[in-house]
Amino acid sequence: MPKLTSVYRLDDIESWEEAIAVAGLTIRRGGLVAFPTETVYGLGANALDEAAVAGIFRAKSRPPNDPLIAHIADFQQLSQIAEDAPPIAFEVAQRFWPGPLTLVLKKSKRIPANLTAGLGSVAVRMPSHEVALALIREAGVPIAAPSANLFSRPSPTSAQHVIDDLDGLVDVLLDGGETPIGVESTILSLIDDRPRVLRPGGISLEGLRAVVPDLRFAPSYLRDDAPAAPAPGGLLRHYSPNARVLLFEGADDAQVYTAMRAEIARHERVGVLASDAEAAAFADLNVIVERLGANSEEAAQRLFAALRSLDQRELDVILARAPRKAGLGLAVWDRLLRASVGCLVKV
Ligand code: TXA
Ligand code: MG
């Protein structure tokens, strides 16, 4: 029989106490709780309970070779997750935790093998969202949580997105409104000789470089030293809407818009993801434009909701211009490239 998902709206402080108490108890009993973080909604379970962690993979239809992130609320919990963290780990954590930075470190023996997909390393972060922190504290254990979407759907940035994908598959949903950053955390691996960013996200590379000067940007789809098996999270096809996504890249505005307009003319039902400034270039055409705002922070915050919204319109194709790879623009570029499954049109 399908489960019922209990939804708690956390609009006012009075509603918090009961909701967090129920959610914390659900985690301790091995259940699943979807909760807001500052990046995207997470699908949480007790990180120290193998059966509970298995429930996450089942609910999401996530392949077992894609490891999860363990979420902690204070520095003491780090020792339950990781061992032998190098000094640089504490330096970046001091600077960026709580916040949208995930560290890959040597795994502690207490962590069940399914959480890390059998790897010797583990991903860990301390989120800054007050609901996430309250939940982890109430549960009293670290919480394993991937994004609370079905595998290969855009990540959820609102409680409605979680319901759309996982209604009845999760015990409790804490509705904390829209997530402020909108793209997932930056993943920094500290298990090799040189720190490597495996996924750009909510902390910019520029910000990280100030603390980690010898940083390498090495997302798995760009790695030249990739092992035979795909690296965790390295599937290019990851955030894939139903319609084909085409990403246009070029320095000259007029040339890029001309190429995009020529492509639009080849299809019947077209969606366009455009910044406020870009939208004018398509205003005279019969296309559905989803606006991504005025800057890279707004684009990050709106991106997944825009992809989900276009996804419901039964489009033939979705076009977007590749953003500048600076600040949060790099994370937006990465998510668009994955959504396009590598379909980059150079103009
Ligand atoms: O912002 C976020 O990070 C959100 C919120 C909920 O915290 N979580 C999130 O989780 O994006 P998920 O599962 O969608 O992405 C986690 C990524 C995966 O691509 C996984 O492959 C990578 O982290 N990962 C986990 N453990 C790893 C490890 N030991 N080595 C390398 N990559 C790892
Ligand atoms: Mg995800």
Side-chain angles (χ1 to χ4, degrees):
M1 214 178 79
K3 300 194 265 206
L4 278 182
T5 298
S6 309
V7 183
Y8 292 86
R9 281 185 53 172
L10 305 178
D11 327 284
D12 51 69
I13 205 75
E14 286 86 68
S15 62
W16 274 55
E17 211 170 318
E18 189 202 342
I20 298 291
V22 171
L25 187 63
T26 303
I27 294 282
R28 283 200 299 281
R29 288 185 174 160
L32 297 180
V33 175
F35 62 98
T37 80
E38 70 279 22
T39 58
V40 300
Y41 274 75
L43 175 61
N46 180 352
L48 306 177
D49 176 345
E50 182 157 23
V53 170
I56 294 177
F57 286 91
R58 253 195 327 273
K60 273 191 70 133
S61 308
R62 183 177 176 110
N65 63 357
D66 196 0
L68 310 178
I69 297 173
H71 295 69
I72 57 176
D74 57 56
F75 278 90
Q76 267 120 50
Q77 281 181 320
L78 187 57
S79 60
Q80 295 181 287
I81 310 285
E83 277 175 12
D84 305 334
I88 187 75
F90 295 97
E91 285 168 41
V92 285
Q94 283 296 346
R95 171 70 185 79
F96 295 107
W97 281 359
L101 177 70
T102 294
L103 300 181
V104 174
L105 299 167
K106 195 178 153 205
K107 154 190 189 298
S108 137
K109 290 175 192 65
R110 296 186 61 180
I111 293 292
N114 59 351
L115 187 149
T116 64
L119 296 172
S121 60
V122 64
V124 56
R125 89 174 182 101
M126 190 190 295
S128 62
H129 198 292
E130 48 187 343
V131 173
L133 289 172
L135 174 64
I136 301 166
R137 287 196 190 106
E138 177 72 22
V141 289
I143 293 184
S147 48
N149 51 302
L150 285 175
F151 179 66
S152 99
R153 294 264 295 148
S155 291
T157 55
S158 71
Q160 186 59 49
H161 296 160
V162 179
I163 288 289
D164 290 344
D165 281 13
L166 297 174
D167 192 19
L169 296 171
V170 30
D171 300 297
V172 174
L173 165 58
L174 298 175
D175 178 353
E178 286 186 17
T179 55
I181 294 178
V183 289
E184 303 90 338
S185 60
T186 300
I187 301 181
L188 174 64
S189 172
L190 297 175
I191 54 172
D192 307 317
D193 324 340
R194 245 179 101 178
R196 283 194 311 181
V197 167
L198 305 180
R199 176 177 75 183
I203 298 287
S204 71
L205 284 200
E206 296 89 333
L208 262 183
R209 279 223 168 86
V211 184
V212 192
D214 63 337
L215 188 71
R216 274 204 303 159
F217 177 53
S220 33
Y221 52 83
L222 291 181
R223 274 173 60 186
D224 42 18
D225 58 343
L235 295 172
L236 193 52
R237 186 183 169 75
H238 192 108
Y239 308 93
S240 38
N242 297 320
R244 213 151 60 90
V245 175
L246 292 175
L247 193 56
F248 287 73
E249 190 161 57
D252 186 278
D253 292 349
Q255 280 177 19
V256 172
Y257 298 145
T258 302
M260 291 175 77
R261 290 174 68 96
E263 184 64 38
I264 289 170
R266 289 191 200 107
H267 305 274
E268 278 194 6
R269 295 183 57 82
V270 182
V272 177
L273 291 163
S275 69
D276 293 347
E278 290 161 1
F282 309 100
D284 59 322
L285 300 180
N286 180 25
V287 294
I288 298 166
V289 177
E290 278 287 335
R291 302 266 278 237
L292 295 181
N295 52 48
S296 58
E297 285 77 21
E298 288 181 13
Q301 208 274 327
R302 297 181 191 184
L303 178 68
F304 289 133
L307 280 171
R308 281 176 177 262
S309 156
L310 290 177
D311 226 9
Q312 292 172 349
R313 311 293 283 264
E314 288 177 21
L315 302 169
D316 303 322
V317 65
I318 297 170
L319 273 58
R321 182 177 185 181
R324 283 188 57 228
K325 293 178 205 154
L328 283 195
L330 182 64
V332 175
W333 173 84
D334 170 274
R335 305 311 186 266
L336 283 170
L337 185 72
R338 289 170 188 263
S340 77
V341 202
C343 277
L344 192 63
V345 182
K346 301 244 185 197
V347 182

PDB file of all heavy atoms in Angstrom, residues 60 62 146-147 149 155 184 199 238-239, ligand 2:
ATOM      1  N   LYS A  60      14.066   7.188  -4.769  1.00  0.00           N
ATOM      2  CA  LYS A  60      14.489   8.030  -5.892  1.00  0.00           C
ATOM      3  C   LYS A  60      14.700   7.268  -7.175  1.00  0.00           C
ATOM      4  O   LYS A  60      14.983   7.874  -8.202  1.00  0.00           O
ATOM      5  CB  LYS A  60      15.856   8.668  -5.557  1.00  0.00           C
ATOM      6  CG  LYS A  60      15.827   9.935  -4.815  1.00  0.00           C
ATOM      7  CD  LYS A  60      17.218  10.579  -4.809  1.00  0.00           C
ATOM      8  CE  LYS A  60      17.637  11.116  -6.162  1.00  0.00           C
ATOM      9  NZ  LYS A  60      18.198  12.453  -6.178  1.00  0.00           N
ATOM     10  N   ARG A  62      17.379   5.677  -7.579  1.00  0.00           N
ATOM     11  CA  ARG A  62      18.760   6.105  -7.828  1.00  0.00           C
ATOM     12  C   ARG A  62      19.653   4.889  -7.970  1.00  0.00           C
ATOM     13  O   ARG A  62      19.569   3.966  -7.155  1.00  0.00           O
ATOM     14  CB  ARG A  62      19.240   6.955  -6.656  1.00  0.00           C
ATOM     15  CG  ARG A  62      20.643   7.543  -6.788  1.00  0.00           C
ATOM     16  CD  ARG A  62      20.911   8.393  -5.579  1.00  0.00           C
ATOM     17  NE  ARG A  62      22.226   8.962  -5.484  1.00  0.00           N
ATOM     18  CZ  ARG A  62      22.486  10.269  -5.634  1.00  0.00           C
ATOM     19  NH1 ARG A  62      21.518  11.103  -5.950  1.00  0.00           N
ATOM     20  NH2 ARG A  62      23.704  10.730  -5.474  1.00  0.00           N
ATOM     21  N   PRO A 146      20.467  12.975  -0.736  1.00  0.00           N
ATOM     22  CA  PRO A 146      20.647  13.483  -2.097  1.00  0.00           C
ATOM     23  C   PRO A 146      19.578  14.533  -2.341  1.00  0.00           C
ATOM     24  O   PRO A 146      18.737  14.790  -1.469  1.00  0.00           O
ATOM     25  CB  PRO A 146      20.398  12.247  -2.957  1.00  0.00           C
ATOM     26  CG  PRO A 146      19.353  11.488  -2.188  1.00  0.00           C
ATOM     27  CD  PRO A 146      19.610  11.784  -0.719  1.00  0.00           C
ATOM     28  N   SER A 147      19.581  15.146  -3.497  1.00  0.00           N
ATOM     29  CA  SER A 147      18.476  16.032  -3.858  1.00  0.00           C
ATOM     30  C   SER A 147      17.185  15.209  -3.928  1.00  0.00           C
ATOM     31  O   SER A 147      17.203  14.052  -4.328  1.00  0.00           O
ATOM     32  CB  SER A 147      18.770  16.709  -5.193  1.00  0.00           C
ATOM     33  OG  SER A 147      19.200  15.761  -6.150  1.00  0.00           O
ATOM     34  N   ASN A 149      14.651  14.672  -5.754  1.00  0.00           N
ATOM     35  CA  ASN A 149      13.976  14.507  -7.037  1.00  0.00           C
ATOM     36  C   ASN A 149      14.062  13.041  -7.438  1.00  0.00           C
ATOM     37  O   ASN A 149      14.876  12.293  -6.899  1.00  0.00           O
ATOM     38  CB  ASN A 149      14.673  15.364  -8.102  1.00  0.00           C
ATOM     39  CG  ASN A 149      16.178  15.127  -8.143  1.00  0.00           C
ATOM     40  OD1 ASN A 149      16.856  15.318  -7.138  1.00  0.00           O
ATOM     41  ND2 ASN A 149      16.692  14.674  -9.261  1.00  0.00           N
ATOM     42  N   SER A 155      16.643  19.022 -10.080  1.00  0.00           N
ATOM     43  CA  SER A 155      16.575  19.054  -8.615  1.00  0.00           C
ATOM     44  C   SER A 155      15.415  19.932  -8.150  1.00  0.00           C
ATOM     45  O   SER A 155      15.025  20.873  -8.833  1.00  0.00           O
ATOM     46  CB  SER A 155      17.883  19.588  -8.038  1.00  0.00           C
ATOM     47  OG  SER A 155      18.912  18.662  -8.251  1.00  0.00           O
ATOM     48  N   GLU A 184      22.849  22.991  -6.522  1.00  0.00           N
ATOM     49  CA  GLU A 184      23.411  22.189  -5.449  1.00  0.00           C
ATOM     50  C   GLU A 184      24.769  22.728  -5.000  1.00  0.00           C
ATOM     51  O   GLU A 184      25.359  23.593  -5.640  1.00  0.00           O
ATOM     52  CB  GLU A 184      23.566  20.728  -5.902  1.00  0.00           C
ATOM     53  CG  GLU A 184      22.289  20.074  -6.382  1.00  0.00           C
ATOM     54  CD  GLU A 184      22.055  20.258  -7.862  1.00  0.00           C
ATOM     55  OE1 GLU A 184      22.626  21.210  -8.441  1.00  0.00           O
ATOM     56  OE2 GLU A 184      21.310  19.448  -8.437  1.00  0.00           O
ATOM     57  N   ARG A 199      32.194  19.196  -8.736  1.00  0.00           N
ATOM     58  CA  ARG A 199      30.932  19.764  -9.228  1.00  0.00           C
ATOM     59  C   ARG A 199      30.894  21.233  -8.830  1.00  0.00           C
ATOM     60  O   ARG A 199      31.018  21.539  -7.642  1.00  0.00           O
ATOM     61  CB  ARG A 199      29.742  19.028  -8.591  1.00  0.00           C
ATOM     62  CG  ARG A 199      28.380  19.619  -8.974  1.00  0.00           C
ATOM     63  CD  ARG A 199      27.214  18.845  -8.393  1.00  0.00           C
ATOM     64  NE  ARG A 199      27.038  19.093  -6.964  1.00  0.00           N
ATOM     65  CZ  ARG A 199      26.119  18.495  -6.205  1.00  0.00           C
ATOM     66  NH1 ARG A 199      25.308  17.589  -6.734  1.00  0.00           N
ATOM     67  NH2 ARG A 199      26.017  18.781  -4.924  1.00  0.00           N
ATOM     68  N   HIS A 238      22.096  13.905 -16.606  1.00  0.00           N
ATOM     69  CA  HIS A 238      21.798  13.907 -15.174  1.00  0.00           C
ATOM     70  C   HIS A 238      20.525  14.688 -14.916  1.00  0.00           C
ATOM     71  O   HIS A 238      19.560  14.187 -14.393  1.00  0.00           O
ATOM     72  CB  HIS A 238      22.978  14.520 -14.420  1.00  0.00           C
ATOM     73  CG  HIS A 238      22.908  14.307 -12.949  1.00  0.00           C
ATOM     74  ND1 HIS A 238      23.738  13.450 -12.289  1.00  0.00           N
ATOM     75  CD2 HIS A 238      22.093  14.832 -12.023  1.00  0.00           C
ATOM     76  CE1 HIS A 238      23.430  13.451 -10.999  1.00  0.00           C
ATOM     77  NE2 HIS A 238      22.437  14.289 -10.809  1.00  0.00           N
ATOM     78  N   TYR A 239      20.505  15.936 -15.358  1.00  0.00           N
ATOM     79  CA  TYR A 239      19.328  16.776 -15.203  1.00  0.00           C
ATOM     80  C   TYR A 239      18.671  16.821 -16.563  1.00  0.00           C
ATOM     81  O   TYR A 239      18.996  17.655 -17.384  1.00  0.00           O
ATOM     82  CB  TYR A 239      19.734  18.193 -14.801  1.00  0.00           C
ATOM     83  CG  TYR A 239      20.654  18.211 -13.615  1.00  0.00           C
ATOM     84  CD1 TYR A 239      22.018  18.228 -13.783  1.00  0.00           C
ATOM     85  CD2 TYR A 239      20.127  18.183 -12.333  1.00  0.00           C
ATOM     86  CE1 TYR A 239      22.860  18.227 -12.684  1.00  0.00           C
ATOM     87  CE2 TYR A 239      20.959  18.188 -11.243  1.00  0.00           C
ATOM     88  CZ  TYR A 239      22.319  18.212 -11.425  1.00  0.00           C
ATOM     89  OH  TYR A 239      23.149  18.217 -10.350  1.00  0.00           O
TER      90      TYR A 239
HETATM   91 MG    MG B   2      20.951  15.237  -7.387  1.00  0.00          MG
END
